[in-house]
Every structure is written in C-alpha cells, then in structure tokens.
Amino acid sequence: MKRNQLVGWSIGWALTLALAAGAQAQLQLNGAGATFPYPIYSKWFDAYTRVDPSVRFNYQSIGSGGGIKQITEQTVDFGASDGPMSEEQMAAAPGHLMHFPTVMGAVVMTYNVAGVQTGLKLTPEAIAGIFLGDVTKWNDPQITAANPGVALPNQDIIVVHRSDGSGTSYIFTDYLSKVSKTWKSRVGAGTSVSWPAGLGGKGNEGVTGLVKQTPNSIGYVELIYALSNELPYADVKNQGGSFVKPTLESVTAAAAGYADKMPEDFRIVITNAPGAEAYPISGMTWLLVYEKQKDAGKGKKLVEFLKWMLSDGQKLAADLHYAPLPDAVVAKERQVLQRVTTTDGQPLAK
Amino acid sequence: MANVGTESVQLNSATSNVSWSPIHRQVNLGDWLFRGLTALFAGCVIALLVGIFAILTWESTDAIRRFGIGFLTSTKWDPVFKEFGALAFIYGTLLSSALALLQAVPLSIGTAVFLSEIAPGWLRAPVSFLVELLATIPSVIYGLWGIFVLVPWMRSYIGPALSSTLGFLPFFQGPNYGVSVLTASIILAIMTVPYITSVTHEVLRAVPPMQREAALALGATKWEMIRLAVLPFGRTGIIGAIMLGLGRAIGETMAVTMVIGNRADISASFFAPGSTMASVIANEFNEATYDLYVQVLVEVGLVLLLVTVVVNILARVLVWSVRTGPTGAARA
C-alpha cells in the first residue's frame, strides 16, 4: 500500500468514526411491524424530528406478524400491529406489552358491475353469503332486496380477496365472524384464512387491479385504494340497522361506539360497532410498547412521542385518509400512558 | 440448475478432459495454493447447499413432526384452524412449470436453430441480443404486464378461443377469470425462453462444421441436416438448457403470484386459479403470526428445495441415459 493511500485510509476511518460518534448523540428508536399505517407513521416520524431533533426513528414495515415477533424478541424498541396480540403471544413476551391505538381505517367493499354506481347497499348477510360462496348471482334476493331500483345483472359474482397475509384481511374476516355464525365456524378470523371462494390478489393494489378489470367482481380494500382508483364502494348496514357510507367520520364513529367498552389494554377490534353513524368494517392499528422500559432514555423519548402522536399527530391523519381517534379514546390513552415506567418503576411520562 | 447446461456444453466440445496426470511431480507452492483455494471455493458451494437444507429442516422440525407425510398429501391450508397441507402448492408449481416448458421449448429450440443454422449473419447478433434482453427484465415487470395486458387478453380472447376449440377437454372447461394457472404458465414460458434459447444457441454453435458438411455431402436437405446431424449432436446440451429453464420456472415467485389467482386448490381445468410453493411463501410469510405457521412455510421451502433437487436428478439421469444410449448414426 502506498503512503498517500495509507493517509487516505486513515482520514476515511477518522471521518467514519467521527460521524458514528455524532450519530451516537442522536437517539435512534427502532420499530417494526404493520404495513397498513406505514404512510402515516413515516409522516409522523419525519414531522417529529422537527419537534425533537434529538430523536430519529427507523421503522421497518415488515408486517404485523414480524412486528410482534421482533418486539417479543426485543430486537426493536417498539412494535406495530394491525391486529391485537393474542393471549398466547402476550404470554410469550418477556414483559407486559401495552397496546396503543394510533389511527383507524376502513375496509370497503368495492365492486365492478356495469351500470352500478357507488353506494350499492349491502347487508352483513349478503357480504358473508358472497364470500362464503353461497350467494353466487348479482341478482340474488339477498342483494336486490336492499337495492330497489338498481338494475343488478343475472351474472355470477366473482369474489376477490387478498392472497397475502394482511391486517386488512384480519379486520374483514373478524367482521364476518361477528356477523355470521357460519363464517365463524367454517373460516374464522385471521391475517390469512382458507377462503371458501374466489381469487386472490397480492396487496391492496392487487385486489384493486383485479376488481377494476374483472366484470362482475367484488373485493375488499382499504378506503384510500378505492378512492384513488375511483372504484365504486358499498354502503354497509351496521348494527343499528342503517346503511353507512365509509368515511373518516363514520370510522371515528365506530371507535366512539366502542369507547365505553374500550378495555384498559385497548385490545379490541372495533368491527361491527354499535351506533347509528358507525361504519361496521373499521379497524384500529396499534403500537406495541413494553410497560417496563429497559433503557430509560429511549423509554422517555418514546413516551414523549406517543404523547405528541395523541395531540398534534392526530391532526395529520386525515390528510392521508386515516381516521383520527375519537377524543374519548385519546383521553383514555393519555391516562394509560402514565403507566409506562423504567424497570425499577420510575414513571416516564411527566 | 445452471451447471447442468454449461457442463453439458463443455462435455459436448469434449475439450475439458484434463486428468490429474502424474507428469507434474515437483509440487510448486503456487499450484498447491491454487488447488487448495479452488477446492475451498467448491467446498463452500456444497456447504452452502447442505447448510440451507439443514437450516430449513431445523426450522421446520415441529411442523414436520406434527403433520408428517400428510403434509405432502393434504390440500387443506387453513391458518386459522392450524391445518396445513402443501399438495395444492406442489401441484401448482409442477403444473405451471410443465405447461410453461410445453410452450417455451419448441419456441426456444426453433429460435436457436434459426439463429445458428438459418439466419443470415447480419440478423444473428441483433436477434440473439434481443432474446437475451428478455432475461434481464425484472420479474415484477412481467407480473405487471401480466396483470394489465395478458390477463385481459386471456379473459377476452385466448380463453374463449381455447374453450371453443378444445373445450371438450377437461383442461379447458370452467369459468375463465383471466388469472389462472395457464396465464401463469404463459408468463413463465416468456421468462424461460431467453435461457433455453441462448444456451441451446451456444450448444448448436459448438457442433463442428464437419458434421453439417458431412450431412450435406451425403445429399441431405437443410432440414435433414439439422434433424440428423445438428440436433442429435447437441441433444445433451439442449436437455441441459431445458432443465435450466425448468429451474427458473419452478422457483419464479413474483410474476406468478401476480397472475395465478392464488387459490390453494387442485382443479383439472387450466383456467382455474392455483397457487405455487414459491407464491404461498411470498404471500404469507410477512404476516405469519404464530410459530407453527412460520414453521409450515419453512417446510414448504424445504419441499420446494427437495422438488428442485429431484427434478435436477431426473434431468441428470435423462442426460446420462441419452449420452450412453444409442445416439444415432450421425453422431461423430
């Protein structure tokens, strides 16, 4: 190695070390999990660096399953999931994991039937029947009865579902399990299920693509995908008996409907919510945080971020078509946030 | 997979027959190092394969214990009730790959023969360049093309044409959604064509000109020359090329997932949606929320590896039997 090369090397190393030392001064919080809230999380993490420049977030949207796994193995500082953890999963974690709801979204029924505009009215029985493969024609009385005056063709219904495991499927199948006993016993709820009928598309965009180009098809996607692709979507009959259009307001109403039943650990799926305004296929997404934080410095920053998320963060949600949490839930979360402590019981929230 | 093709090419040119003869007695340090180093590299490759196999087995031990051989014979795949069987995926993988080869092989060999025997010199380079360019397109691009172009074609033209002409066969009956095992096989065929074509082209170029001249001198027409003198000479290499293409088809994930319809089911109809081993892993691994679920997906990976190995061994056996068997009078 020549001399000037050697000098170059040493300078390079010195610079690298200096940079690494600089990065040390800035705290990095690592997180992993759900894909559904990824757009809003990146926006939050970016906006939060202006609130507290000493914190950097690194979030990997590897899916809820991966998020739960990584927070259980403590390879990340926080996890994220579109479905609440099961008792089994909670027991596998080395400490008590708390669930903090962040935003909400709607799963909408989108369809492609010639001449039928947005706002087709679907009852829970019709949706369950279609996805079970029992309701096979568009002019089945289960559908026509709720849609007087809409010309529904005598055509086979082509069912489209997600092929990949997803929180969207979890919300949808959880809803179907609540409204249909047959669905509950035959299929059940999960991020992936054994679908009795239909085609699988990969991702929201895969389902959107299939529905868009397959005549007489019906599928379920997150609201934003139906809006941005200008696909029609259905009003769904809720528990209160009214047909509700999926909007940010009706999703927030669904969480509000559950507010008084909201458990202390927030592990509740808000599908089929009570309340006249509530859109029934709504879901929340959670951040997973250990109650006892090993690293007091990181724990403190994390709690501060969660507080910000509950106040200013919520205002950013609607721009990205996520429904903000209702006030009752935010208030409850603020309370529960007080319980996050260091390992020796020092509270982290001021 | 890759070495099946290239090795057969070398065998055909019959120049790599170097044996370790005792001529170089005095051991030179450089030689010794070189030999050790190359042996180490070769060993690494083997260790890698063994390591992958061992880890896949280790990571799926519980699933293997729980489901046993039933994993290979059941089509039930239910993550909610925790019942898993991979038969539908094995079937989907083998069927889509086989259908792909049925389409790709004649096309590729035809192209290769055209390039090496018939095309005028000025056309050869651009055509073979374009064919090889197909191999560089990322599979997700094929998938997107599949969704937006091929799937609508299948639904509106190709599917109806097939069911009106060949509809008496069970393979072309049932509803045609556009996404299907057949659609996936067409995408796979397009993806494997460049591999089979370029290897076959190289194989045919390695056929000594004397073979052709001898055939022509005996009064053979061009077609007879190709059929009797060129193709039999390159047979082992062509089989190697096909196996290379098959390897590509079996393992392809993204493009297939996008057009196959993802249904864990076995159906006689090629119009029915299906699912492959690679696609189910890609689809479900991210959100596999409990241990057993991850384990069965790893086991699917293990089965995929074993299927690939078995197919490779079959290909080897095929190549050997072709090479040792009667190869025709035209063989030099």
Side-chain angles (χ1 to χ4, degrees):
Chain A
M1 200 180 279
K2 282 189 189 146
R3 189 141 169 229
N4 48 359
Q5 244 177 327
L6 208 71
V7 172
W9 266 89
S10 345
I11 292 176
W13 271 108
L15 270 175
T16 316
L17 287 173
L19 279 173
Q24 285 275 302
Q26 203 174 44
L27 198 70
Q28 176 156 311
L29 290 171
N30 297 309
T35 46
F36 159 67
Y38 180 60
I40 181 73
Y41 286 1
S42 354
K43 186 159 185 181
W44 280 347
F45 297 150
D46 178 51
Y48 194 67
T49 54
R50 283 187 285 280
V51 178
D52 182 355
S54 70
V55 187
R56 276 281 132 88
F57 285 91
N58 169 27
Y59 182 75
Q60 304 293 323
S61 62
I62 54 171
S64 305
I68 291 172
K69 200 169 173 198
Q70 295 221 0
I71 189 69
T72 304
E73 287 166 1
Q74 293 175 294
T75 49
V76 290
D77 304 310
F78 62 93
S81 176
D82 291 336
M85 288 169 71
S86 65
E87 289 302 329
E88 203 182 326
Q89 287 167 336
M90 294 286 281
H96 182 244
L97 270 172
M98 301 174 81
H99 287 59
F100 289 103
T102 52
V103 284
M104 295 177 301
V107 176
V108 307
M109 309 304 306
T110 179
Y111 45 85
N112 177 354
V113 185
V116 181
Q117 303 300 313
T118 203
L120 182 75
K121 291 181 169 50
L122 290 175
T123 60
E125 296 75 32
I127 298 174
I130 291 169
F131 279 81
L132 278 167
D134 296 336
V135 174
T136 56
K137 296 273 186 196
W138 276 106
N139 62 354
D140 189 287
Q142 295 255 43
I143 307 173
T144 50
N147 294 283
V150 180
L152 286 159
N154 180 21
Q155 295 284 348
D156 285 337
I157 300 175
I158 296 170
V159 172
V160 183
H161 54 75
R162 287 283 287 269
S163 66
D164 50 331
S166 77
T168 313
S169 293
Y170 181 81
I171 293 166
F172 184 59
T173 53
D174 181 85
Y175 168 70
L176 289 178
S177 298
K178 280 182 184 161
V179 297
S180 159
K181 284 204 175 72
T182 324
W183 184 275
K184 194 173 183 181
S185 59
R186 258 178 68 188
V187 186
T191 52
S192 290
V193 301
S194 176
W195 294 97
L199 309 170
K202 187 162 162 53
N204 275 302
E205 59 286 355
V207 173
T208 312
L210 274 175
V211 170
K212 208 169 179 175
Q213 54 165 271
T214 313
N216 304 312
S217 60
I218 184 166
Y220 62 92
V221 291
E222 280 152 27
L223 176 61
I224 175 78
Y225 286 87
L227 290 176
S228 58
N229 285 284
E230 293 174 359
L231 283 168
Y233 49 91
D235 296 357
V236 180
K237 189 175 172 182
N238 67 10
Q239 252 198 55
S242 44
F243 286 93
V244 179
K245 191 180 184 63
T247 59
L248 300 187
E249 292 73 33
S250 63
V251 173
T252 304
Y258 268 118
D260 49 337
K261 286 191 213 150
M262 192 71 70
E264 290 284 290
D265 62 359
F266 300 105
R267 284 197 296 149
I268 187 170
V269 184
I270 57 165
T271 52
N272 202 27
E277 312 280 291
Y279 179 70
I281 324 177
S282 302
M284 294 195 291
T285 182
W286 295 263
L287 284 182
L288 308 170
V289 174
Y290 279 109
E291 183 168 9
K292 299 219 180 301
Q293 292 286 320
K294 268 189 182 163
D295 183 330
K298 280 187 171 182
K300 194 165 180 305
K301 294 290 182 190
L302 195 54
V303 169
E304 279 170 10
F305 167 75
L306 286 170
K307 276 180 140 175
W308 175 85
M309 179 276 289
L310 290 171
S311 53
D312 294 349
Q314 290 296 313
K315 291 171 198 151
L316 301 173
D319 289 345
L320 296 178
H321 295 281
Y322 291 94
L325 298 165
D327 295 338
V329 175
V330 168
K332 199 158 188 170
E333 271 193 77
R334 283 219 179 90
Q335 237 172 18
V336 174
L337 203 50
Q338 303 290 333
R339 283 195 224 143
V340 183
T341 64
T342 58
T343 34
D344 51 3
Q346 298 293 317
L348 284 165
K350 270 177 272 179
Chain B
M1 265 298 168
N3 44 16
V4 180
T6 48
E7 198 190 282
S8 328
V9 175
Q10 283 177 352
L11 285 168
N12 270 324
S13 52
T15 50
S16 59
N17 233 350
V18 182
S19 57
W20 295 100
S21 57
I23 295 171
H24 309 283
R25 264 289 147 78
Q26 72 272 42
V27 179
N28 172 314
L29 180 68
D31 280 351
W32 184 82
L33 265 179
F34 181 69
R35 202 188 293 183
L37 210 59
T38 48
L40 183 73
F41 289 157
C44 279
V45 175
I46 295 166
L48 208 59
L49 186 70
V50 173
I52 291 172
F53 185 81
I55 285 181
L56 287 178
T57 313
W58 174 252
E59 293 284 327
S60 61
T61 316
D62 292 349
I64 295 170
R65 281 216 193 101
R66 178 156 172 177
F67 298 107
I69 195 75
F71 191 71
L72 301 178
T73 55
S74 160
T75 57
K76 190 154 181 69
W77 182 268
D78 193 330
V80 176
F81 296 100
K82 306 191 177 176
E83 287 174 52
F84 296 97
L87 186 63
F89 308 123
I90 299 171
Y91 174 82
T93 299
L94 293 178
L95 180 66
S96 60
S97 305
L99 286 178
L101 282 192
L102 272 180
Q103 301 161 66
V105 167
L107 195 61
S108 309
I109 294 182
T111 311
V113 166
F114 174 76
L115 286 174
S116 84
E117 310 297 327
I118 295 162
W122 59 267
L123 198 60
R124 256 173 229 175
V127 171
S128 67
F129 172 74
L130 287 176
V131 169
E132 275 160 32
L133 203 64
L134 280 178
T136 63
I137 298 175
S139 58
V140 66
I141 305 285
Y142 280 109
L144 285 175
W145 177 80
I147 286 187
F148 292 113
V149 181
L150 187 62
V151 168
W153 278 356
M154 276 302 294
R155 194 175 37 244
S156 324
Y157 308 109
I158 307 174
L162 282 172
S163 49
S164 65
T165 52
L166 297 166
F168 59 92
L169 293 168
F171 310 128
F172 300 106
Q173 287 167 2
N176 169 24
Y177 304 110
V179 290
S180 65
V181 176
L182 185 62
T183 315
S185 78
I186 294 175
I187 292 266
L188 284 176
I190 298 170
M191 295 174 81
T192 50
V193 158
Y195 293 84
I196 306 180
T197 306
S198 57
V199 175
T200 306
H201 184 201
E202 291 303 316
V203 167
L204 296 183
R205 268 170 35 150
V207 174
M210 300 267 279
Q211 285 280 116
R212 302 187 176 87
E213 286 161 15
L216 292 175
L218 288 171
T221 62
K222 193 147 202 173
W223 161 238
E224 284 166 339
M225 181 269 280
I226 294 167
R227 189 168 60 92
L228 297 171
V230 177
L231 288 179
F233 195 91
R235 201 173 345 174
T236 50
I238 295 170
I239 291 174
I242 295 170
M243 289 303 140
L244 179 67
L246 180 59
R248 169 93 172 138
I250 286 180
E252 177 49 43
T253 309
M254 203 55 211
V256 171
T257 309
M258 290 164 90
V259 298
I260 200 167
N262 300 297
R263 181 150 189 75
D265 208 358
I266 290 182
S267 167
S269 173
F270 297 161
F271 289 152
S275 195
T276 69
M277 289 185 268
S279 69
V280 73
I281 296 173
N283 270 324
E284 299 188 10
F285 199 80
N286 269 356
E287 293 282 343
T289 37
Y290 51 91
D291 273 349
L292 181 70
Y293 197 178
V294 176
Q295 292 237 349
V296 292
L297 288 171
V298 175
E299 195 180 349
V300 171
L302 181 65
V303 174
L304 179 57
L305 182 67
L306 289 176
V307 166
T308 318
V309 170
V310 167
V311 167
N312 252 304
I313 290 172
L314 285 180
R316 276 295 150 114
V317 170
L318 198 63
V319 170
W320 279 330
S321 67
V322 167
R323 215 166 50 203
T324 52
T327 47
R331 184 93 192 251

